[in-house]
Amino acid sequence: MRILLVDDSKTMRNIQRNVLSQLGYTDIHEACDGQDALSKVDAVKPDLILVDWNMPIMDGISFVKAYRGKGGTTPMMMVTTEAEKSRVVEAIQAGVNNYVVKPFTPEVLSQRVRETLAKAKAA
Amino acid sequence: MAAQTDIKIHIAPDGSSARVSIPGTLDANYVTSESLASYAAQAGVQLTHQVAAQLQTIANSFRTEPKDIDAQFAIAQLAKDGADGSIQWQPGFDPSGPNTTGDVEQADDAAVDHYAGQQFVAVKEDDHVATLIQPTSGEDGANVKGLVIKAKDGRPCPIKIESTFLVDAHGRILAQRDGALRLSGDSLGITNALDVPGHVDFEIGNIKFDGAVCIKGGVRDRFEVNATGDVIVNGLIESATIVCKSNLTCIRGIAARDVSHIHVHQDAEIGFMNNAHAVIEGNLSVRREIINSDIAVGGTFSCAKGSVIGGTLRLSGSATIGELGSDGNRITTVLLGTAPVLEQHLREERAAVVQLEKQLRKDEEKLAQLQMYGQRASAQDRERMTELCFEVAEARQLLSDAQNRIETIRSEMTSSCTVNLTILNMVHPNVRLETGEVIVRIRRQVKGPVQFGWNAAREITFSVNGGTARPIHEIADVTLATRKRIA
């Protein structure tokens, strides 16, 4: 199981990496913005992508649209401070499979990751 | 047009230049840029704009003031060879540079600490150590006849980059793991074993290395070796400091004029120890004598062919010693049934718990403050709250782990301490055996093999030559440790 973390904050990527490691996922790759993620996604071939919304160069929603636009099917979770309903709807419409609002606890993130993967497996 | 013999074109044998010579007696009307170009073309010179311009200048000059002329009008365009590929080191990583890492430190009083210099390059994962400069293509030139002068392309960098480094799209050479940079022959890699060809001294400097260290020579006074892997010292360890997270082997031994400080997290095998202050968390084997040393051993201790003279031995497991004390009745102390290493761990864990509790309180307070903003919290606050949630969870986990370790250590301290000391050859007077409860001072020489142990009532006994256990007061004065303390 390969997971791609897309967040401009190394601290946040470390936090997500720790949670995922505790869930038994160790094949984890990182990108620091949407453009970096787009350049890596074909080589990494992730089974799950966690993406932040607000990032420099290319933000998360642009990445989601670009990735889905070129036919990417990997499940994606938006992990962001953007809590407004309109933002959630926008993200879901762009192709995000699950949405986690910051602040979140390790338990919440674990739960959402499990949910997303279970849904992807069932689909 | 002038007679052919009047105007002459000379081309250098290698085609690098062409000259024209015009006699001053020639009728100026014959000397035009067209006539000169015609001569040049006949001689095989390629007529470029530059050549034509030069010929025009020469013709004008002659027509203005007729005189003998011998002038260069064409020059070859030389080929530019490409540059070879190379490695451009980042500051502090050039293995041929002085004091590569661990720069020589300047103390507050402006005195330079020459001990701190290191002559090897330690690298950490993701370090950008150098940039690989790609070779460049050559630029062909042309001689005056227009023939191509072939340029050489640059050759690739002769240094092969091993898989312990990654070269990214920008040519950055990035370390893929921690270790020491090794540039041997034409190969660049990272090794997790550091070979020191001679002594650890001013030439080498202190060593702090994430991996094994093999020192061909010794470790000189006041130098320090700190390694996470095994440490092998072929020479003497002087009044130096060795911190080894794995095993230490020093076949020759430790001979300190002052005191050497040794901390080994696993086992140690040492030739002899003189003026050593050592904590060996695992087993310790010493081949010859131990003199005036303070040694704590967490596992078993063996000095079967040697003597222990003076100093203090703190033992928690079984021990075998050739000779204990000396003919000169030197006071030699052995603390039995103690757990010096475990006690040290317990102290460290307790200190860690205090620190973690403090950090946890701080993080919880910060988190509570931010949570008060509720929906008004900014994006930055939300990011920080997420971080704090994880820091709190992590601190709680670490605290719980530390508390569990404290319980484990306490349990080990109770169960692992034994009194099982065998002296193979001789025990001398003035040897003191101490437990937490009593102090035993040997009165007379006892020939070995002598075995000291605990009976069911936790009283020290001795037996000679495999005989029955007898009360220790037959060969020693016994006082209660508490009484001594009161006194």
Side-chain angles (χ1 to χ4, degrees):
Chain A
M1 170 72 71
R2 269 188 301 279
I3 300 177
L4 178 62
L5 307 178
V6 191
D7 199 309
D8 57 323
S9 160
K10 184 148 180 71
T11 309
M12 204 52 69
R13 294 201 302 270
N14 284 342
I15 285 172
Q16 293 171 5
R17 182 182 275 273
N18 283 345
V19 171
L20 293 165
S21 300
Q22 283 167 15
L23 292 176
Y25 304 122
T26 52
D27 192 358
I28 297 168
H29 300 256
E30 296 183 15
C32 59
D33 59 58
Q35 199 173 75
D36 190 24
L38 272 181
S39 71
K40 288 176 176 171
V41 73
D42 288 338
V44 172
K45 294 189 177 64
D47 302 293
L48 176 67
I49 301 171
L50 273 65
V51 57
D52 184 21
W53 190 305
N54 297 306
M55 291 181 290
I57 303 177
M58 180 190 274
D59 63 23
I61 197 72
S62 303
F63 165 70
V64 172
K65 286 174 183 170
Y67 178 65
R68 291 294 187 228
K70 65 176 196 168
T73 55
T74 302
M76 285 197 271
M77 287 172 58
M78 185 67 86
V79 184
T80 176
T81 55
E82 299 289 345
E84 295 86 10
K85 195 177 172 185
S86 60
R87 293 296 217 176
V88 179
V89 171
E90 186 184 351
I92 299 293
Q93 283 174 345
V96 160
N97 301 68
N98 213 332
Y99 201 95
V100 180
V101 178
K102 296 173 187 174
F104 56 83
T105 61
E107 294 75 26
V108 166
L109 185 61
S110 303
Q111 174 66 21
R112 295 293 168 82
V113 168
R114 277 194 290 260
E115 271 174 25
T116 310
L117 290 173
K119 277 184 190 168
K121 199 175 172 185
Chain B
M1 184 176 280
Q4 255 189 329
T5 49
D6 297 333
I7 295 174
K8 288 192 167 35
I9 302 291
H10 308 279
I11 298 175
D14 60 357
S16 61
S17 64
R19 308 179 70 80
V20 58
S21 58
I22 309 168
T25 53
L26 196 64
D27 183 345
N29 289 324
Y30 289 120
V31 182
T32 63
S33 60
E34 291 79 12
S35 65
L36 294 181
S38 170
Y39 277 101
Q42 278 178 26
V45 176
Q46 189 183 30
L47 292 176
T48 63
H49 289 298
Q50 283 163 327
V51 168
Q54 281 292 322
L55 291 173
Q56 176 78 60
T57 307
I58 292 166
N60 291 345
S61 168
F62 186 86
R63 289 162 73 90
T64 310
E65 188 184 350
K67 61 176 182 181
D68 287 352
I69 284 182
D70 181 19
Q72 180 176 284
F73 67 93
I75 189 163
Q77 189 190 340
L78 297 175
K80 283 184 195 163
D81 290 343
D84 290 344
S86 61
I87 282 182
Q88 194 172 59
W89 297 103
Q90 289 293 105
F93 289 106
D94 184 351
S96 61
N99 293 309
T100 44
T101 58
D103 291 339
V104 170
E105 287 171 8
Q106 194 151 3
D108 292 342
D109 60 0
V112 173
D113 180 5
H114 290 283
Y115 292 87
Q118 282 186 174
Q119 290 302 319
F120 68 91
V121 182
V123 295
K124 294 270 176 204
E125 188 178 349
D126 292 335
D127 272 351
H128 172 201
V129 303
T131 301
L132 181 65
I133 308 296
Q134 294 296 339
T136 58
S137 304
E139 246 178 69
D140 290 345
N143 68 10
V144 293
K145 293 181 175 178
L147 297 175
V148 172
I149 303 172
K150 197 76 187 156
K152 288 179 188 164
D153 287 339
R155 288 167 300 179
C157 176
I159 297 171
K160 291 189 188 81
I161 313 291
E162 294 176 7
S163 60
T164 45
F165 282 109
L166 171 80
V167 182
D168 72 6
H170 307 288
R172 295 184 310 165
I173 301 174
L174 304 167
Q176 293 300 287
R177 61 175 167 83
D178 297 353
L181 186 147
R182 179 176 46 75
L183 179 60
S184 57
D186 60 354
S187 177
L188 174 66
I190 300 171
T191 173
N192 59 1
L194 177 68
D195 284 319
V196 179
H199 300 295
V200 175
D201 55 13
F202 287 107
E203 199 177 322
I204 297 290
N206 290 333
I207 291 175
K208 185 166 189 198
F209 186 66
D210 189 5
V213 176
C214 180
I215 300 161
K216 293 265 183 343
V219 185
R220 299 296 200 209
D221 281 347
R222 295 191 60 204
F223 284 94
E224 183 173 340
V225 176
N226 190 326
T228 56
D230 290 349
V231 174
I232 299 170
V233 182
N234 287 308
L236 282 176
I237 297 173
E238 298 181 5
S239 302
T241 299
I242 310 284
V243 179
C244 168
K245 295 273 166 63
S246 191
N247 302 301
L248 169 69
T249 305
C250 180
I251 296 301
R252 283 197 68 188
I254 299 167
R257 269 176 291 194
D258 301 324
V259 176
S260 60
H261 293 274
I262 314 289
H263 189 165
V264 179
H265 288 242
Q266 294 183 26
D267 301 340
E269 190 181 351
I270 298 170
F272 67 90
M273 300 173 85
N274 190 349
N275 279 348
H277 191 291
V279 175
I280 313 297
E281 300 195 15
N283 304 324
L284 171 62
S285 169
V286 179
R287 293 198 303 174
R288 301 198 299 277
E289 70 279 2
I290 297 176
I291 299 170
N292 291 340
S293 294
D294 186 343
I295 299 167
V297 186
T300 61
F301 170 65
S302 171
C303 183
K305 291 181 179 172
S307 312
V308 177
I309 302 168
T312 304
L313 265 181
R314 299 160 204 273
L315 304 174
S316 46
S318 63
T320 306
I321 298 171
E323 196 164 334
L324 186 57
S326 68
D327 288 336
N329 298 345
R330 183 75 180 269
I331 293 175
T332 305
T333 305
V334 182
L335 274 66
L336 298 161
T338 64
V341 174
L342 291 174
E343 280 165 10
Q344 176 64 23
H345 285 177
L346 192 62
R347 277 195 294 276
E348 287 167 2
E349 291 292 352
R350 281 180 177 149
V353 163
V354 169
Q355 198 59 36
L356 282 168
E357 283 173 341
K358 199 171 150 189
Q359 185 62 44
L360 184 60
R361 272 197 305 275
K362 221 162 119 183
D363 287 346
E364 282 173 338
E365 278 168 20
K366 274 191 217 163
L367 185 59
Q369 279 172 3
L370 286 171
Q371 281 169 337
M372 283 166 66
Y373 290 126
Q375 292 301 313
R376 289 176 295 124
S378 66
Q380 204 178 1
D381 292 336
R382 288 169 187 275
E383 293 267 356
R384 184 69 192 124
M385 275 193 271
T386 307
E387 288 170 17
L388 283 168
C389 282
F390 280 82
E391 281 167 22
V392 165
E394 194 177 55
R396 282 185 183 142
Q397 184 60 50
L398 289 173
L399 196 57
S400 165
D401 291 347
Q403 281 160 343
N404 288 339
R405 282 197 299 274
I406 285 175
E407 282 313 306
T408 309
I409 292 168
R410 279 188 181 139
S411 162
E412 278 179 23
M413 284 172 72
T414 313
S415 63
S416 69
C417 296
T418 59
V419 173
N420 184 4
L421 172 63
T422 303
I423 310 300
L424 298 175
N425 301 324
M426 189 78 77
V427 184
H428 292 275
N430 264 351
V431 164
R432 292 153 59 109
L433 307 178
E434 295 186 18
T435 67
E437 291 126 19
V438 295
I439 298 167
V440 171
R441 184 172 173 170
I442 304 294
R443 282 194 304 265
R444 62 178 175 82
Q445 217 172 45
V446 183
K447 200 167 180 301
V450 189
Q451 186 153 28
F452 297 91
W454 249 336
N455 65 15
R458 290 173 68 90
E459 293 165 339
I460 293 185
T461 61
F462 78 103
S463 65
V464 178
N465 213 6
T468 53
R470 289 149 61 181
I472 193 72
H473 63 75
E474 290 183 14
I475 58 166
D477 298 325
V478 182
T479 52
L480 288 174
T482 47
R483 185 183 299 167
K484 177 178 174 276
R485 277 203 294 274
I486 291 162

